[in-house]
Amino acid sequence: MNDLNFLEINNNTIEALEKKLSVEEKNILSKCKKTMSKNIHYLKNLGIENIDELFEKYYYMFAIDESKFISIFDKYEKEDLIDKLNKNSSIIEFL
Amino acid sequence: MIYTKTQETFKKLFDLKNGNNSKIVKDFQKEIDKIKESLDLLKKKNNDLIKENEETQETLKLISNQYDCLKELIKGKKTSDFDELNKQLAINFDPTSIRHEIDEKFPVKKSELNNKINTCTNDIKNNDEEITSLNSKIDELNLKLSTIIDKQKEISELLEKSINQDLLNFPPRPIIDTLLFLNFSEEEAKIIASNMVFSNPDFVNFYLAEERKRKEEIDRIKQEAKEVIARKSLTEVANDKENEPEEKIVTEVLEEKKDNEDISINNLESMVINVFKDDNESEEGTSDTSIINKLKEKHLDVNKIDNVDDYVKNSKTVFENLEYLQNTFNNGIDIANENLKLLLVDKLAEKIKYLMKELKVSKEEVINYDKLLVEKNAITEIEKLKENGVNVSAISIGCLFATDNFISNLKTLKEHNYNISEEELLKYSILLSSLNNNKLKKYLEDYKVIAKYPQGNIYLNVFEVDEDIVHSNYLSIMQVYPEFIKKYPQFQLKNCEDIATIINTCKINNIPFQDENGSYYSFVFDQEQFKNIYPSVELVKVKKEI
């Protein structure tokens, strides 16, 4: 496919996601690749370890514009946020 | 005309007098603007931090009061004190466990909030220091800038005096110092100073000749401008709008000049010259080589250009847009190299500015979407969204690739009584622009109960879970305790089977699983916890009736 192969994400995750996504979804995501790469990089730098899991489940959040994406995480205490996200990826939607 | 080295130095001085050395002023102004921009950002960031800090302090105060109040209320109380109440209301109020729980959790939360306040306070202090330092820097630069302007004025007055032979016996040193301050070399400064104080005939004659040439040039430009205006009238008759922007500039230039004779004639002159230069270029045609050379001058990687004809044909737009990119972005050249196609797009500046303003994003974020800028009319797409009541500042740029689908999905949600909040709009905007509308409708139909109890929110993650698992688990919990969905429409449905098992087990064994406020005990969500609290109770799975 590999519309999403440009991302620093595990190949298995990309394959699993690509099976799930429709053509339209893949099409839009491929146009947001620079933003997605930057957001993945931001979370990795922050110290988030389960990026693959987060990306597979909440790929659409990674396409949020960089400044808005950062503002979602920026309001929390860094250590606490990393700890909670690493333990449970699903809290990302409630941030 | 070829000038000798000395004449070149003289010319440099005359250009300065005529306001053509504005580069040094412009550089200063650019630096001041840049610092002001950082200062505004920092101030905004600091205000947000102050607000956040106040909120955290307020929360800490509030929970401390509530903790003290609750602790006082249940002080010395035992579970047996509430036997009758528990029995009558079929509840399980246990002051001892509540006491233990708050004593355990409150200090942790308190320390967490205190840490946050400390970090925030330090950040605010550091930002305040930086704001002060940036303000001083701006003051310093403004002072330097005003000194430069004063020195320019001073040297122009001295030059006038020299031409009129009024500078005899004037010491050369102050002239040299002033010129050095204005970026002249030591050698240039000395040449000028000695020529000025003695009103050297070569110097004076050169000056008078240059002034005459300048006046003649201005007269010529005025005449040409008049011709262009006359041509404009003809063009209007012919209904040809193509030349309109250039002619507008010429008219404006002349009107501006008429209104204000004192402003630097050279600046106006160069503007008019540029207009004519462009005009001539388009009339006479511009060779591929000259365009390529011009691109190279701008440090552009010409190897990346697929079709040089496009650039030749659109050279005016290309260079306008290139100049905009270079002036607007710190790394304009890199951006231009990455997105050379962008340079062919009309009104690029307006597009970028509009997107930044409406979507509340930075320039760099807009530039990430080169395809959108080139292939789509982003302004029309945004207007379409606004017409449909979408708060465009809460969405991501990527949505503009599929605005119609995005609007259809928002309409579908509304039809099912989902009121999507701004926070949700931001998180799910990309999902909503890419999700097939029929798929969304199907989900909403299949999970009607969630739609019935939306609590003002929508849990879109349901779309991301395997359909069969959702369906099966969703039905489990609906069979055993549909009210659960009322309380937690947002709960991850893939965990519903486990929750359903615990609630089912509680119901069979008459174990309360909700408190008096209807909140679920934490063991409802955690089988391990349930097993620890009720080790002898065997979990009973829900028999699915699918």
Side-chain angles (χ1 to χ4, degrees):
Chain A
M1 110 147 171
N2 294 309
D3 295 331
L4 300 176
N5 265 3
F6 57 89
L7 296 167
E8 285 177 61
I9 292 287
N10 184 301
N11 277 345
N12 294 338
T13 308
I14 303 254
E15 276 171 26
L17 187 59
E18 289 194 338
K19 275 182 198 159
K20 197 164 78 171
L21 296 177
S22 66
V23 178
E24 293 94 337
E25 286 165 326
K26 278 190 250 180
N27 188 25
I28 294 220
L29 288 185
S30 67
K31 284 172 176 160
C32 304
K33 53 189 182 182
K34 284 185 187 165
T35 304
M36 288 166 87
S37 291
K38 284 179 181 171
N39 289 336
I40 287 170
H41 197 65
Y42 166 75
L43 284 189
K44 277 191 176 172
N45 273 353
L46 200 68
I48 303 301
E49 290 157 4
N50 47 349
I51 295 279
D52 286 287
E53 187 191 344
L54 277 168
F55 189 75
E56 191 180 342
K57 284 196 215 162
Y58 309 103
Y59 61 89
Y60 49 88
M61 282 187 69
F62 285 80
I64 296 175
D65 302 327
E66 201 186 355
S67 58
K68 293 174 183 170
F69 185 78
I70 291 172
S71 72
I72 293 176
F73 301 94
D74 222 18
K75 53 190 181 229
Y76 298 96
E77 198 183 333
K78 192 181 163 193
E79 298 308 318
D80 195 34
L81 176 74
I82 295 168
D83 182 52
K84 289 200 165 66
L85 267 178
N86 281 340
K87 276 185 189 154
N88 179 8
S89 62
S90 64
I91 68 156
I92 194 172
E93 282 211 307
F94 302 96
L95 295 176
Chain B
M1 176 175 178
I2 298 165
Y3 294 112
T4 63
K5 202 180 167 193
T6 309
Q7 283 173 333
E8 270 178 11
T9 309
F10 293 166
K11 190 159 188 331
K12 198 172 162 186
L13 177 71
F14 301 151
D15 283 347
L16 181 144
K17 182 202 163 255
N18 291 324
N20 271 5
N21 80 322
S22 49
K23 193 185 173 299
I24 182 170
V25 175
K26 272 187 191 160
D27 286 349
F28 263 95
Q29 198 56 56
K30 222 183 255 178
E31 202 179 337
I32 291 171
D33 288 346
K34 214 169 151 188
I35 297 173
K36 275 185 182 164
E37 205 176 308
S38 316
L39 186 65
D40 287 345
L41 279 176
L42 194 62
K43 277 182 182 168
K44 193 185 168 300
K45 194 178 155 196
N46 218 25
N47 285 340
D48 290 347
L49 273 177
I50 291 168
K51 201 175 157 206
E52 192 188 335
N53 208 15
E54 282 169 0
E55 281 170 6
T56 315
Q57 284 173 0
E58 198 56 41
T59 307
L60 180 60
K61 202 173 146 192
L62 193 67
I63 67 164
S64 298
N65 286 341
Q66 289 176 352
Y67 166 78
D68 292 341
C69 178
L70 182 62
K71 209 173 170 189
E72 189 56 36
L73 275 174
I74 58 173
K75 192 176 172 186
K77 301 286 181 201
K78 299 190 289 290
T79 313
S80 56
D81 294 338
F82 298 91
D83 276 353
E84 194 55 29
L85 186 69
N86 280 337
K87 191 178 149 196
Q88 291 297 330
L89 302 183
I91 57 169
N92 199 12
F93 181 64
D94 177 5
T96 317
S97 65
I98 288 175
R99 208 162 32 236
H100 285 155
E101 201 174 347
I102 61 170
D103 281 343
E104 190 186 318
K105 287 183 179 172
F106 178 73
V108 178
K109 184 43 99 179
K110 191 179 170 183
S111 135
E112 194 182 294
L113 292 174
N114 270 326
N115 286 342
K116 196 175 171 188
I117 291 167
N118 286 340
T119 315
C120 220
T121 310
N122 284 337
D123 287 349
I124 292 168
K125 198 181 153 207
N126 291 339
N127 285 342
D128 278 340
E129 280 169 12
E130 205 176 331
I131 287 170
T132 314
S133 137
L134 288 177
N135 272 325
S136 315
K137 216 167 175 182
I138 290 175
D139 289 346
E140 198 184 309
L141 286 171
N142 270 329
L143 190 70
K144 273 188 189 167
L145 185 61
S146 104
T147 316
I148 287 170
I149 293 167
D150 286 349
K151 297 270 182 198
Q152 281 184 4
K153 211 175 152 194
E154 194 183 312
I155 207 79
S156 295
E157 284 168 6
L158 288 171
L159 177 61
E160 287 291 344
K161 281 186 180 169
S162 163
I163 302 302
N164 296 328
Q165 306 202 347
D166 288 342
L167 217 59
L168 293 172
N169 300 326
F170 190 86
R173 195 65 234 176
I175 299 176
I176 294 173
D177 289 344
T178 307
L179 289 167
L180 289 177
F181 191 85
L182 293 170
N183 278 357
F184 281 76
S185 72
E186 180 85 30
E187 193 192 349
E188 288 170 335
K190 279 180 183 164
I191 293 172
I192 290 172
S194 67
N195 276 284
M196 270 172 78
V197 290
F198 297 114
S199 298
N200 187 322
D202 285 349
F203 177 73
V204 174
N205 289 338
F206 183 83
Y207 172 82
L208 294 173
E210 285 293 309
E211 277 294 283
R212 201 168 40 246
K213 260 198 306 188
R214 202 171 72 85
K215 277 180 186 149
E216 281 169 9
E217 182 65 10
I218 292 169
D219 288 345
R220 189 185 63 77
I221 288 161
K222 273 189 203 169
Q223 186 55 38
E224 284 188 13
K226 276 179 195 165
E227 283 167 19
V228 172
I229 291 165
R231 221 188 314 149
K232 182 188 172 192
S233 311
L234 288 171
T235 316
E236 272 174 356
V237 172
N239 225 358
D240 179 1
K241 298 278 177 194
E242 273 180 23
N243 291 324
E244 197 173 81
E246 291 90 335
E247 283 144 13
K248 204 175 159 202
I249 294 171
V250 175
T251 316
E252 280 168 3
V253 167
L254 288 176
E255 278 173 3
E256 199 178 340
K257 187 184 166 310
K258 230 190 303 172
D259 290 346
N260 188 358
E261 284 290 337
D262 291 338
I263 60 171
S264 165
I265 281 174
N266 270 31
N267 288 343
L268 298 174
E269 194 182 336
S270 62
M271 282 174 75
V272 180
I273 285 170
N274 283 338
V275 170
F276 282 102
K277 214 163 79 183
D278 287 342
D279 220 20
N280 290 339
E281 271 172 11
S282 60
E283 275 173 13
E284 289 163 22
T286 314
S287 72
D288 293 7
T289 324
S290 72
I291 293 288
I292 290 177
N293 286 340
K294 215 167 166 187
L295 287 168
K296 277 180 180 169
E297 274 171 31
K298 303 275 181 188
H299 310 290
L300 279 166
D301 183 356
V302 287
N303 294 329
K304 292 191 179 183
I305 301 173
D306 297 331
N307 187 357
V308 81
D309 287 347
D310 286 344
Y311 281 82
V312 175
K313 209 161 58 188
N314 298 288
S315 61
K316 191 167 180 300
T317 314
V318 169
F319 288 110
E320 269 174 16
N321 281 333
L322 177 59
E323 199 181 332
Y324 170 74
L325 284 170
Q326 285 170 331
N327 289 336
T328 313
F329 302 99
N330 294 334
N331 56 347
I333 299 289
D334 292 339
I335 288 163
N337 263 336
E338 275 175 33
N339 302 296
L340 268 176
K341 259 189 170 179
L342 279 180
L343 300 175
L344 285 172
V345 183
D346 280 330
K347 295 183 178 171
L348 175 70
E350 283 82 353
K351 258 191 189 182
I352 294 176
K353 279 180 193 162
Y354 186 84
L355 283 168
M356 282 164 62
K357 184 174 152 260
E358 293 294 331
L359 299 176
K360 306 259 186 303
V361 287
S362 66
K363 291 168 280 198
E364 288 72 15
E365 285 170 292
V366 178
I367 281 293
N368 280 341
Y369 292 85
D370 51 344
K371 281 191 178 137
L372 181 76
L373 292 162
V374 175
E375 293 163 12
K376 281 248 174 195
N377 189 342
I379 295 178
T380 315
E381 299 301 320
I382 287 187
E383 288 303 324
K384 207 190 290 174
L385 287 167
K386 280 164 79 178
E387 277 166 21
N388 281 279
V390 178
N391 174 6
V392 288
S393 66
I395 63 165
S396 296
I397 305 177
C399 299
L400 300 180
F401 286 109
T403 41
D404 290 336
N405 194 46
F406 185 58
I407 291 166
S408 301
N409 282 338
L410 286 178
K411 280 184 181 164
T412 303
L413 286 173
K414 212 170 179 182
E415 280 160 17
H416 284 78
N417 295 324
Y418 285 133
N419 290 315
I420 191 156
S421 71
E422 277 193 11
E423 267 186 355
E424 286 170 323
L425 191 60
L426 174 63
K427 284 176 193 167
Y428 302 115
S429 60
I430 292 290
L431 183 63
L432 283 171
S433 55
S434 58
L435 188 72
N436 181 287
N437 187 245
N438 289 331
K439 197 173 165 186
L440 175 68
K441 281 181 180 161
K442 185 181 177 298
Y443 276 122
L444 292 172
E445 283 302 315
D446 284 355
Y447 306 109
K448 276 181 191 162
V449 173
I450 305 177
K452 206 172 163 188
Y453 304 110
Q455 293 188 332
N457 292 309
I458 176 175
Y459 183 54
L460 284 160
N461 196 30
V462 66
F463 308 132
E464 299 316 305
V465 188
D466 182 273
E467 198 173 341
D468 293 336
I469 298 172
V470 174
H471 193 61
S472 150
N473 291 342
Y474 170 76
L475 287 180
S476 317
I477 199 125
M478 282 305 296
Q479 272 169 234
V480 65
Y481 202 68
E483 290 299 300
F484 181 87
I485 301 292
K486 274 191 193 179
K487 189 87 186 166
Y488 292 103
Q490 82 282 20
F491 199 81
Q492 280 206 57
L493 292 179
K494 60 182 173 180
N495 294 338
C496 281
E497 195 168 8
D498 291 344
I499 295 163
T501 303
I502 293 171
I503 295 178
N504 194 36
T505 309
C506 288
K507 284 172 84 177
I508 291 167
N509 292 283
N510 218 9
I511 297 170
F513 51 91
Q514 282 175 288
D515 62 19
E516 68 272 25
N517 297 322
S519 296
Y520 293 82
Y521 292 129
S522 55
F523 62 71
V524 168
F525 306 94
D526 186 346
Q527 284 203 9
E528 283 302 310
Q529 201 185 346
F530 181 83
K531 282 179 199 162
N532 287 337
I533 299 170
Y534 302 103
S536 57
V537 178
E538 200 175 323
L539 288 169
V540 186
K541 282 194 172 188
V542 181
K543 196 178 166 194
K544 291 180 188 171
E545 298 166 1
I546 303 168

